[in-house]
Amino acid sequence: MKFGANNHEERCSEGHRSASIIATIKAALSADPDIDSSAIEIRMLGPVVLLEGYITKAADRDRVISVAALIVGGENVHDRMQSRFPTQ
């Protein structure tokens, strides 16, 4: 059954691929005990991974970007994370 240009067969692999990439990045970040990724959102825009949300340590930014770059390549990672450092 086909319903025009946006049918499931044509778009399915793209959606599954994006979900798989996001899940892989989230799993890698969760496995790293030095990164607080609880406030980081990961989205895909075509082949580009968007990293959004907040980091609580300056070192987390570089580490999160590095993890994502290992999975999709550095040219496909866009950092939109904001710093939210705890006050003392």
Side-chain angles (χ1 to χ4, degrees), residues 30-45:
S30 294
D32 190 327
D34 296 327
I35 298 175
D36 177 10
S37 61
S38 61
I40 297 172
E41 292 291 323
I42 302 164
R43 296 188 309 134
M44 297 283 302
L45 182 59

Side-chain angles (χ1 to χ4, degrees), residues 32-63:
D32 190 327
D34 296 327
I35 298 175
D36 177 10
S37 61
S38 61
I40 297 172
E41 292 291 323
I42 302 164
R43 296 188 309 134
M44 297 283 302
L45 182 59
V48 176
V49 171
L50 299 175
L51 301 172
E52 301 176 311
Y54 297 94
I55 55 169
T56 55
K57 296 184 293 188
D60 284 354
R61 179 182 310 277
D62 292 335
R63 186 70 185 130

Side-chain angles (χ1 to χ4, degrees), residues 4 10 13 24 26-28 31 40 44 50-53 57 59 64 66 68-70 75-76 78-79 84 88:
E10 291 176 9
S13 63
T24 301
K26 284 182 178 182
I40 297 172
M44 297 283 302
L50 299 175
L51 301 172
E52 301 176 311
K57 296 184 293 188
V64 170
S66 295
L70 285 172
E75 69 280 357
N76 291 324
H78 185 76
D79 171 24
R84 182 169 56 189
Q88 297 182 1

